[in-house]
Amino acid sequence: MRYLHQAIDHAYEGFDVYFQPIINIKENKVENLEALLRFECSDFGKVSPQEFIPLLEKSGLITPVGKWVLEKSIQACLALQKWAPGLKVNVNISYIQVSKSAVLRDILNIIKKYNVDQNRLVIELTESGFIESDRFFVSFCNRLKENGILLALDDFGTGYSNFHYLYNLKPDCIKVDRGLMKNALANQYENMLLKHMIDMAHSVDVKMCIEGIETQEELDKILEMGCDYIQGYYFSKPLPFNEIEEYLKNFK
């Protein structure tokens, strides 16, 4: 924890934002980048997000760090527009930020500061993180949409009881993680479930992104289901700014 405090006190030294492309598979273009926080320090080297993000949330440090990530993400999105016109950036927001900070105000202030269109920012919320707290979830999502900010639900379907979110909130996109995707490719019942999920999303004008695609075989099978976006190592791992810029320059 001490190292996280020190990093924040020293202008976020040790933190970095990496970007993973999200491919519009029908148009064969990079339409979004997901911003992913990274951290390393001299004593421990690179620290897994599964280790340091829970510490940030528990300590409340996720609030200043999250604001820093938002600003870095918007800066990167604007800088990369020349290589990918209309590019959007997806930023993950945690339950702690929604329930214990003025994160919507921070979002709107940063959008105003950089004079960027609201629809260049996609806020990602993890469905499972809000299952027990949907009062905050629903209110925050509604306020995002009132302000013209796009919404994506990550890890969708992991709760299974929350399919009503599709109809109540009408997110712009839902994302299915690698675990559910692999199950769908290995099991006929899960395969049918994912196909129905995609059809249901499309019936209410919601896009579907499948995450975790790593091989040509996985890609071919998933494309048969009619999803809209693909994200995964098959196209690219998360990259620092200079490398994602080169990626966009050379993307075909």
Side-chain angles (χ1 to χ4, degrees), residues 18-24 27-35 72-91 111 115-123 150 229-230 239-241 243-249 251:
Y18 279 41
F19 300 92
Q20 187 172 32
I22 300 172
I23 312 299
N24 180 325
E27 299 183 19
N28 190 36
K29 70 175 185 178
V30 180
E31 189 162 308
N32 299 56
L33 298 174
E34 182 176 358
K72 288 293 183 183
S73 300
I74 290 294
Q75 289 173 346
C77 184
L78 290 173
L80 295 168
Q81 291 287 324
K82 57 185 175 182
W83 308 115
L87 184 70
K88 302 178 181 68
V89 64
N90 291 35
V91 179
I111 287 173
N115 192 30
V116 62
D117 291 341
Q118 289 96 323
N119 63 8
R120 292 289 177 262
L121 177 64
V122 182
I123 295 299
L150 301 176
Y229 300 103
I230 296 290
L239 300 170
F241 178 83
E243 293 183 29
I244 198 66
E245 184 172 29
E246 285 299 314
Y247 180 90
L248 291 175
K249 284 182 187 179
F251 183 81

Side-chain angles (χ1 to χ4, degrees), residues 2-37:
R2 173 167 58 90
Y3 294 96
L4 296 173
H5 276 283
Q6 288 176 347
I8 294 169
D9 291 341
H10 291 84
Y12 299 91
E13 181 180 1
F15 286 106
D16 199 1
V17 181
Y18 279 41
F19 300 92
Q20 187 172 32
I22 300 172
I23 312 299
N24 180 325
I25 205 66
K26 296 174 183 176
E27 299 183 19
N28 190 36
K29 70 175 185 178
V30 180
E31 189 162 308
N32 299 56
L33 298 174
E34 182 176 358
L36 297 161
L37 183 61

Side-chain angles (χ1 to χ4, degrees), residues 191 195 198 217-227:
N191 189 286
K195 286 180 179 177
I198 293 172
E217 182 182 12
E218 290 175 348
L219 178 63
D220 292 342
K221 290 181 178 179
I222 286 297
L223 290 181
E224 293 174 1
M225 298 185 182
C227 66

Side-chain angles (χ1 to χ4, degrees), residues 41-252:
C41 62
S42 56
D43 286 359
F44 298 105
K46 294 182 179 180
V47 183
S48 167
Q50 283 71 35
E51 294 181 34
F52 73 80
I53 288 180
L55 292 175
L56 291 174
E57 292 179 333
K58 183 177 181 180
S59 64
L61 295 175
I62 193 67
T63 296
V65 173
K67 185 176 179 181
W68 178 83
V69 170
L70 274 164
E71 187 150 9
K72 288 293 183 183
S73 300
I74 290 294
Q75 289 173 346
C77 184
L78 290 173
L80 295 168
Q81 291 287 324
K82 57 185 175 182
W83 308 115
L87 184 70
K88 302 178 181 68
V89 64
N90 291 35
V91 179
N92 292 275
I93 298 294
S94 78
Y95 169 69
I96 299 300
Q97 290 170 272
V98 173
S99 63
K100 298 187 181 300
S101 77
V103 66
L104 182 63
R105 182 188 64 195
D106 292 340
I107 291 169
L108 295 175
N109 285 343
I110 289 169
I111 287 173
K112 183 178 180 180
K113 177 180 177 179
Y114 290 95
N115 192 30
V116 62
D117 291 341
Q118 289 96 323
N119 63 8
R120 292 289 177 262
L121 177 64
V122 182
I123 295 299
E124 284 200 22
L125 300 172
T126 300
E127 179 205 13
S128 56
F130 289 80
I131 287 174
E132 301 301 327
S133 312
D134 70 345
R135 177 170 61 89
F136 289 111
F137 185 60
V138 172
S139 174
F140 180 67
C141 292
N142 287 338
R143 292 171 69 195
L144 286 176
K145 297 190 77 66
E146 287 168 7
N147 285 280
I149 298 165
L150 301 176
L151 169 66
L153 298 185
D154 201 4
D155 294 345
F156 190 85
T158 53
Y160 288 105
S161 62
N162 295 304
F163 284 93
H164 67 274
Y165 286 149
L166 272 182
Y167 298 94
N168 291 347
L169 300 176
K170 291 187 171 61
D172 299 281
C173 181
I174 60 177
K175 302 179 76 177
V176 171
D177 71 6
R178 178 167 173 79
L180 198 154
M181 181 273 293
K182 285 187 69 177
N183 288 343
L185 298 186
N187 178 282
Q188 184 61 31
Y189 174 79
E190 296 280 354
N191 189 286
M192 290 180 60
L193 183 63
L194 182 54
K195 286 180 179 177
H196 287 313
M197 193 186 300
I198 293 172
D199 290 342
M200 182 168 58
H202 288 165
S203 73
V204 290
D205 199 28
V206 175
K207 303 295 186 183
M208 173 71 77
C209 177
I210 307 296
E211 299 180 290
I213 301 295
E214 296 182 357
T215 68
Q216 183 69 54
E217 182 182 12
E218 290 175 348
L219 178 63
D220 292 342
K221 290 181 178 179
I222 286 297
L223 290 181
E224 293 174 1
M225 298 185 182
C227 66
D228 305 286
Y229 300 103
I230 296 290
Q231 182 176 354
Y233 276 40
Y234 177 82
F235 288 101
S236 176
K237 65 181 180 179
L239 300 170
F241 178 83
N242 62 321
E243 293 183 29
I244 198 66
E245 184 172 29
E246 285 299 314
Y247 180 90
L248 291 175
K249 284 182 187 179
N250 299 312
F251 183 81
K252 295 180 181 180

